[in-house]
Amino acid sequence: MLTVALFAPLLGALPLALNSRWSAAQARWIAVVASGASLLALALAWLTFDPAGPLFQHIDEVEWVPSLGMAYRVGVDGIALAVATMSAVLFVAAVVYPFDTGGDARQYYAWLLFLHGVSLGVFLALDLLMFYVCFDLTLVGMYFLIGRWGHGDPQLAAFKFFLYTFAGSLALLLGIIGLYLALETPTFDMRAIIEQQPLAGRGTYASLVFLAMMVGLAVKTPLVPVHTWLPQAHVDAPGPASAILAGVLLKMGTYGMIRLPLAMLGETFSRFALPVAVLALVAILYGALVALGQTNLKRRIAYTSINHMGYTVLGIAVAASLIGGHDEARRLALTGATVEMVAHGLITGSLFLISGSLWQRTGDYAMARYGGLARRAPQLTALTVLAAFASLGMPGLAGFVAEFQVFTGTFAVYPWLAVLGVLGIVITAALFLDLLWRLFFGRLPEHLAHFPDLNRIEIGVLGVLALGVVAIGVAPHFLLEVVEASASLLSGGR
């Protein structure tokens, strides 16, 4: 099932890339079928996943270079399954969502499907080298989506995105090489490395490997101060690509922290847990404060991503701590971090798709140019309000479930960090209420007198994402059941 999920988008991308005769409608349908098949395969994997079973399930493995321990290995634990399924949902949404491809629909959908396949490769890989290869290839797909179909100064935004994140990838590669060289028997099998914990008790060497990995993953997340590539990439990227960048690619940084440093270097991570938690707090407060000062809609949403990914990293750092007597708190924090990844993907993905709809209608992200749209576009207003309130952590919506668990776990381990971190939620509430006021209330400008509301496809896509946000907020058991067993093994079970 996982192999189907991984290769269906890549196989869909091939005919689009090689055959120039496809019409725009045909290219779109190929993309819908390929991305839908991938999502269906992951849905089947979810339905057959046993939370009480072994840590990794649905394993497919084919030897590649046995002498070096390299192989095609895919499999999932509950955390990987949750994040991969959310990513597949968001890719289907990005494919279906209306977008003006400028006459290059075939290439646009080919790159989107390529990015879909390699992104899932990151979350499904059980081979460390395969993880890194897919991690790097995502840069290629997003580079072309921003550079070719972006607006503003897309070439500069794409260049900056690629350069920053590629530099981070090289740091990650150094960490992976350092970990590989420490193994008694050479292998890239993540299961074997997690079991061996090869750098336990290795002191300075283990610390250097950990720092190399964390620098690379921090760039991808991103954490302050290695975040400066993100705002411009979001502002100049097309709406669907922004949704994927925020909803999927940023999660590779935090998912990588769970899969690599937390799972493979647990003892070393515990020594750095407090500094990482402090960096997360800086991201929470800095992202919220800077977002509040933005007048550009997309730039404001981009900075809220830094804020929300700070919540995720805070939960991971708490899970990594080894302060005695807090096994349950660490498990809760890691579960919350995973739910935050899923919730943020759905919520911020929706907000960036909405931003794309506004751009397609007005060609403007300046919030001062909007106002009074509540009467002109009630469907747009309702869906934006729901996404905004979910992002600020309103009870009954997905963001609250995630943040409650992260802060409850943090309060037990680092209470002063939890108290300061809550200020980020207050600022986030202020910035989203201000955003809603600027867009939808007050006087309607003359140039928006004929502003069209969302069409049926836009309403359908955003409605499905909103349904997921509400379902997690009201009845999160279906998600928590899958995630909690893996979180227990990776935190309290260490």
Side-chain angles (χ1 to χ4, degrees):
M1 284 179 285
L2 299 185
T3 297
V4 172
L6 176 60
F7 282 99
L10 297 175
L11 293 176
L14 275 177
L16 294 178
L18 299 176
N19 189 344
S20 61
R21 297 178 182 178
W22 300 109
S23 67
Q26 289 171 327
R28 190 162 183 258
W29 274 111
I30 290 173
V32 168
V33 170
S35 59
S38 178
L39 176 58
L40 180 60
L42 284 170
L44 292 173
W46 188 300
L47 292 173
T48 54
F49 184 84
D50 180 11
L55 177 61
F56 293 108
Q57 301 178 35
H58 301 309
I59 296 170
D60 292 330
E61 185 171 6
V62 178
E63 289 294 334
W64 183 18
V65 185
S67 61
L68 297 178
M70 297 163 54
Y72 167 80
R73 299 182 181 97
V74 293
V76 289
D77 64 355
I79 294 171
L81 182 59
V83 179
T85 305
M86 177 277 295
S87 300
V89 169
L90 210 52
F91 270 106
V92 173
V95 167
V96 174
Y97 207 75
F99 175 70
D100 181 7
T101 59
D104 292 328
R106 178 179 63 84
Q107 298 97 315
Y108 171 77
Y109 289 115
W111 280 117
L112 205 52
L113 288 175
F114 171 80
L115 184 58
H116 184 168
V118 295
S119 295
L120 290 186
V122 173
F123 301 125
L124 303 181
L126 286 182
D127 184 272
L128 197 53
L129 185 62
M130 178 181 170
F131 172 92
Y132 177 77
V133 169
C134 292
F135 189 91
D136 244 10
L137 288 177
T138 60
L139 309 185
V140 179
M142 186 56 68
Y143 172 82
F144 283 105
L145 286 170
I146 296 174
R148 171 61 187 84
W149 289 278
H151 38 258
D153 194 353
Q155 285 76 31
L156 178 61
F159 174 78
K160 192 174 182 180
F161 159 78
F162 191 94
L163 192 64
Y164 264 73
T165 50
F166 185 65
S169 294
L170 293 178
L172 176 62
L173 178 61
L174 289 176
I176 290 173
I177 292 172
L179 179 61
Y180 179 79
L181 293 176
L183 294 166
E184 293 181 4
T185 303
T187 183
F188 288 99
D189 189 336
M190 290 183 174
R191 297 164 297 177
I193 298 172
I194 292 170
E195 184 178 353
Q196 289 181 33
Q197 296 291 309
L199 294 182
R202 294 289 294 272
T204 302
Y205 183 82
S207 297
L208 292 173
V209 171
F210 171 82
L211 291 174
M213 286 186 174
M214 284 299 293
V215 167
L217 296 168
V219 173
K220 193 81 163 187
T221 300
L223 288 176
V224 179
V226 288
H227 67 286
T228 54
W229 62 268
L230 181 68
Q232 187 171 1
H234 269 309
V235 170
D236 293 341
S242 280
I244 297 302
L245 177 57
V248 180
L249 266 64
L250 302 191
K251 308 304 174 292
M252 295 175 188
T254 49
Y255 173 80
M257 292 179 191
I258 296 171
R259 184 56 70 232
L260 275 61
L262 181 63
M264 301 177 184
L265 304 170
E267 179 187 306
T268 307
F269 200 160
S270 69
R271 300 202 305 270
F272 290 91
L274 181 56
V276 172
V278 171
L279 282 176
L281 176 65
V282 171
I284 289 168
L285 297 177
Y286 175 87
L289 285 169
V290 176
L292 183 61
Q294 302 303 310
T295 58
N296 180 293
L297 173 63
K298 248 191 167 186
R299 191 173 287 270
R300 176 171 290 197
I301 298 170
Y303 275 105
T304 67
S305 288
I306 296 173
N307 161 263
H308 283 82
M309 297 313 291
Y311 298 141
T312 303
V313 176
L314 180 61
I316 295 168
V318 170
S321 68
L322 286 179
I323 296 175
H326 294 299
D327 286 356
E328 179 61 23
R330 294 201 300 271
R331 180 197 63 78
L332 195 64
L334 185 56
T335 301
T338 304
V339 176
E340 180 66 40
M341 286 192 277
V342 175
H344 180 264
L346 298 175
I347 296 165
T348 307
S350 298
L351 289 169
F352 277 120
L353 290 175
I354 289 167
S355 299
S357 293
L358 291 170
W359 174 268
Q360 300 248 55
R361 287 160 170 77
T362 66
D364 206 336
Y365 291 129
M367 289 187 285
R369 297 275 294 165
Y370 291 93
L373 286 177
R375 289 186 295 274
R376 282 290 315 163
Q379 286 90 353
L380 172 65
T381 304
L383 288 164
T384 308
V385 167
L386 178 66
F389 274 86
S391 192
L392 62 84
M394 183 61 63
L397 300 173
F400 175 79
V401 176
E403 290 164 21
F404 177 81
Q405 294 183 97
V406 168
F407 280 105
T408 301
T410 302
F411 194 83
V413 179
Y414 303 125
W416 60 278
L417 286 179
V419 172
L420 293 174
V422 169
L423 294 176
I425 298 178
V426 177
I427 301 168
T428 302
L431 70 89
F432 273 112
L433 292 174
D434 176 69
L435 180 151
L436 294 175
W437 174 259
R438 289 170 180 257
L439 293 181
F440 300 111
F441 302 102
R443 186 181 62 84
L444 181 72
E446 291 184 7
H447 68 277
L448 298 180
H450 301 288
F451 184 93
D453 204 351
L454 299 176
N455 61 40
R456 286 180 297 177
I457 296 177
E458 290 169 318
I459 293 171
V461 171
L462 293 172
V464 169
L465 296 179
L467 182 63
V469 170
V470 173
I472 295 171
V474 174
H477 178 70
F478 76 96
L479 176 59
L480 298 180
E481 182 183 34
V482 169
V483 172
E484 283 176 345
S486 298
S488 295
L489 290 172
L490 289 172
S491 54
R494 289 185 294 124

